Amino acid sequence: MSTIGAPGSAWPELGAGAPGQPDAPPADPVERPALLAGIFALTTAAGGAHLAVAGHGFEDGLLYGGFFVTVAAAQLALAALIMVPALRSLVAVAGVLGNFAVVATYVLSRTVGVPVGWHAWKPEEAGALDLSTTVVELALIGCLLQLVPPRLRPWIVNFLCVCALAAWAWRLTVLGS
């Protein structure tokens, strides 16, 4: 019985290149300053947008305002921490998952409504700032995925896809069309 990735195994190792082709070492992100600058710009823009609407969130209640301040703080911390080489992989994974959760919360709030607060399960209208912030967060996820270790990347992408499919299935079966 052979194990996955073992020499002679029919199953390639996770992250392996095409059969017979060696893995190309990923380019060091330090050698790609444009990627780091882009991540910094995107996450700062998203964090700034959340901070800008926090006041309006507090008008709806402490929970909503606190959510926006927490998301803004996390995104602004991401902008700083992604620059620390020793933390880069961990921060990239956390950034992908965290921003995906924010995007999922946004989609939930605009389709069926969030399950808490004074207007629970009442969808909110989409606006230009929140739509553009969501586009920024999706672009940020794509950039951050480039910094995720190659062996983890397929697992994380698959996890995100399963979550998205589960959300669609939940929406169509539990909530109806």
Side-chain angles (χ1 to χ4, degrees):
M1 176 177 195
S2 64
T3 59
I4 294 175
S9 169
W11 298 96
E13 190 172 351
L14 289 177
Q21 299 293 322
D23 285 343
D28 185 357
V30 174
E31 296 172 8
R32 298 186 297 176
L35 175 62
L36 291 175
I39 289 170
F40 183 85
L42 291 169
T43 192
T44 302
H50 285 109
L51 199 55
V53 299
H56 177 68
F58 280 115
E59 291 174 7
D60 288 340
L62 185 61
L63 183 66
Y64 290 104
F67 171 79
F68 286 113
V69 169
T70 301
V71 169
Q75 288 174 326
L76 294 172
L78 172 69
L81 293 174
I82 201 70
M83 299 302 166
V84 180
L87 300 175
R88 195 164 287 143
S89 293
L90 177 64
V91 172
V93 171
V96 167
L97 298 176
N99 280 286
F100 182 77
V102 172
V103 169
T105 302
Y106 172 77
V107 170
L108 181 73
S109 72
R110 298 311 187 265
T111 55
V112 296
V114 294
V116 296
W118 64 271
H119 52 79
W121 299 116
K122 293 180 184 170
E124 299 175 44
E125 288 187 32
L129 178 61
D130 49 311
L131 280 171
S132 59
T133 302
T134 302
V135 169
V136 165
E137 288 163 339
L138 290 170
L140 176 59
I141 290 169
C143 290
L144 286 169
L145 277 169
Q146 295 181 49
L147 298 181
V148 170
R151 293 182 188 271
L152 289 179
R153 196 174 303 136
W155 291 92
I156 290 176
V157 170
N158 288 342
F159 173 76
L160 298 179
C161 290
V162 167
C163 288
L165 289 173
W168 274 108
W170 177 73
R171 168 70 173 94
L172 293 175
T173 58
V174 175
L175 299 177
S177 55

